Amino acid sequence: MTSIKPFLIGAIREWAVQNGLTPQIIVDASAPDVKVPAAFVDSGRIVLNIHPRAVDGYAVDDELLAFSARFAGRSHTLKIPMAAVRAVYARENGQGVAFPDGTDDDQKVSTPDPTDSGPPRKGPHLKVVK
């Protein structure tokens, strides 16, 4: 099964652009195979603007996000493995999705066991108001 992360990144990017917002990603720059300008890395992470006006050659697949962007007036080619993307969000309002550090993004969310009834219920707690 393909990873959901590239689809979420694309959906949030498109949503942000359609709403006049700036889509950004947070990247773990210390992750293997990440190619970003080291001078702009802060505390092992870099925040990147992925708005169509800010990048050229934007390409995404199940394993890699790649594009060119300008930093301090110089063009750089960036290559970011999906595993290194930690969040995608709109800069103006912070809405988006964060991905857990150090986990496989394809892990399923734990759901409650339907056979586990949990604590006993006390019955209805609604009153008839006349």
Side-chain angles (χ1 to χ4, degrees), residues 27-38 41 44 46 48 61 63-67 77-86:
V27 176
D28 178 358
S30 65
D33 302 322
V34 171
K35 184 181 174 199
V36 296
V41 173
I46 187 168
L48 301 169
D61 63 28
E63 304 202 6
L64 188 69
L65 176 62
F67 55 89
T77 299
L78 288 74
K79 293 187 179 179
I80 303 150
M82 280 297 149
V85 178
R86 296 292 175 239

Side-chain angles (χ1 to χ4, degrees), residues 11-34:
I12 292 174
R13 179 181 189 241
E14 184 176 328
W15 166 82
V17 170
Q18 285 182 5
N19 286 283
L21 304 172
T22 308
Q24 294 186 319
I25 57 173
I26 297 175
V27 176
D28 178 358
S30 65
D33 302 322
V34 171

Side-chain angles (χ1 to χ4, degrees), residues 1-10 60-64 81-85 99 103-107:
M1 183 179 323
T2 60
S3 172
I4 194 170
K5 192 183 274 189
F7 295 96
L8 291 172
I9 292 168
V60 62
D61 63 28
D62 291 340
E63 304 202 6
L64 188 69
M82 280 297 149
V85 178
F99 305 105
T103 61
D104 181 5
D105 64 280
D106 292 327
Q107 289 179 349

